[in-house]
Amino acid sequence: MTGASGPSGGHGLLFRTGASTSHVTIHVVDPETGKSAIHQKFDADDADVQLAPATSGGRDTTRHDVSPDGSLIVATKTVRGETHAGWVDRSGKFTDVTAAVSGTNDFRPPAKHEPFGFDRAGNYYYTDRAAETGYPPILRVAIERPDAATDTGSTYNASGFRGDYVWTANGELWTKDRGPLPSGYTYCTLSNRVYWIDDHRFVAGDGLGSNLYVGELSAIRDEGSSCTNGATKLLPEGAALRLGDAVANPAGDSIAFYADTRDFSGIYRVPVSGGAPVRTVLTGDVIEDFGESIITGTGIHSDVERTYYYDIVGWI
């Protein structure tokens, strides 16, 4: 991602926040000091447009909501009872992929399209949920040709994280029309919730919110309920009451994650080799000081007066 400079020369955790689905801001936050700056900001200029909307089943692709150059964010628009998929640029303009692809076919079924994300090459993916049975197909358009959609042959399973597609370590979306998966990859249940530390290591939860794991690409196996077979546990057993998603720093030696424990709710750090987690200054109160309410949910902190939601999308 690119954007405005942040604290410590633009380095820190990336938090996605927003007052509504019409406004999304990504802040870069120094985990040592809590100082923050706006990294990217998107505002829709149409009340019928929603930025980075969540789907009924929840998406496993929120870290792919912004294009690689930081200029676009996935979006939908309500048009005469239909859901149109597309993106919004920094000026607030919505590009309607559904309308571009559908053309002037007046007798097509009502569109129910939802965004899926951008890949490293800048291709945009969306799903067609018009069919109420089965899993919706994933379609691809190039940003420069939003009127030409390709059926990838892959489908999205909204009831879980498993699917016949994989986000690879270098940001590619590997779909069935691209042929067999690259060596080492498999369709394990949590394969699209891992955060890649580098081109062969990942950090992932266990799907139960009870621990985090660091593993090698070769350790991912299509077994059981997770991708963590053969991976190394990061945290003491039973230490946290609730865990959110984790991200790795650019050096690949430290992991930041959200945890709600008995005495602290906020962001912790732990070495990539494991050990005792250390609190950062980033609590719900600090994050509230970004100046916006929080919209989306890998981290949740509740107290008597208020609830904070925030999404950690990266570390630069």
Side-chain angles (χ1 to χ4, degrees):
M1 293 182 180
T2 60
S5 296
S8 303
H11 301 293
L13 295 169
L14 297 177
F15 285 82
R16 191 174 77 181
T17 70
S20 71
T21 52
S22 298
H23 311 282
V24 170
T25 303
I26 298 175
H27 300 265
V28 57
V29 187
D30 188 328
E32 302 299 327
T33 65
K35 292 181 179 179
S36 68
I38 292 176
H39 184 65
Q40 296 164 329
K41 189 171 184 179
F42 297 93
D43 297 283
D45 61 7
D46 188 326
D48 292 322
V49 171
Q50 289 190 321
L51 304 180
T55 65
S56 58
R59 289 186 294 125
D60 51 18
T61 57
T62 56
R63 289 170 177 162
H64 306 279
D65 280 350
V66 177
S67 61
D69 65 358
S71 66
L72 308 172
I73 189 169
V74 300
T76 59
K77 182 177 181 179
T78 303
V79 181
R80 295 185 297 277
E82 295 186 320
T83 303
H84 287 204
W87 57 76
V88 166
D89 62 24
R90 294 227 180 150
S91 73
K93 178 185 176 183
F94 176 73
T95 294
D96 193 329
V97 171
T98 299
V101 169
S102 301
T104 58
N105 181 0
D106 294 335
F107 295 95
R108 59 179 168 78
K112 191 176 180 182
H113 294 169
E114 293 173 347
F116 199 73
F118 295 97
D119 67 11
R120 180 189 63 168
N123 294 308
Y124 170 83
Y125 296 81
Y126 66 100
T127 62
D128 183 355
R129 295 178 180 271
E132 295 299 327
T133 59
Y135 300 141
I138 300 172
L139 299 102
R140 175 177 59 239
V141 299
I143 292 174
E144 64 274 12
R145 283 295 310 277
D147 61 335
T150 299
D151 189 336
T152 66
S154 293
T155 58
Y156 177 54
N157 179 0
S159 63
F161 299 129
R162 189 185 183 121
D164 52 7
Y165 60 90
V166 169
W167 290 99
T168 66
N170 61 6
E172 294 179 290
L173 181 60
W174 203 273
T175 48
K176 290 181 73 174
D177 66 332
R178 302 186 65 180
L181 287 174
S183 176
Y185 289 92
T186 188
Y187 299 124
C188 59
T189 307
L190 296 177
S191 57
N192 296 301
R193 293 296 290 177
V194 304
Y195 186 90
W196 290 99
I197 301 170
D198 48 37
D199 62 1
H200 66 281
R201 294 181 302 162
F202 66 89
V203 57
D206 58 5
L208 304 173
S210 60
N211 216 312
L212 297 173
Y213 294 78
V214 167
E216 299 278 338
L217 177 60
S218 59
I220 299 181
R221 292 290 180 268
D222 194 3
E223 302 171 4
S225 61
S226 72
C227 301
T228 57
N229 298 286
T232 302
K233 287 183 180 180
L234 276 182
L235 309 178
E237 286 288 351
L241 302 179
R242 181 185 290 142
L243 289 174
D245 285 348
V247 297
N249 66 349
D253 57 14
S254 183
I255 304 295
F257 63 97
Y258 169 83
D260 185 354
T261 66
R262 293 173 181 81
D263 302 313
F264 181 81
S265 294
I267 306 302
Y268 285 83
R269 292 182 67 165
V270 65
V272 73
S273 57
V278 177
R279 297 178 184 179
T280 71
V281 299
L282 300 179
T283 65
D285 291 320
V286 172
I287 294 170
E288 186 189 33
D289 288 341
F290 293 169
E292 302 182 63
S293 60
I294 307 299
I295 59 168
T296 152
T298 57
I300 302 174
H301 165 65
S302 300
D303 59 25
V304 175
E305 298 179 355
R306 53 197 182 274
T307 301
Y308 311 98
Y309 298 86
Y310 43 95
D311 198 357
I312 312 172
V313 295
W315 195 343
I316 60 173

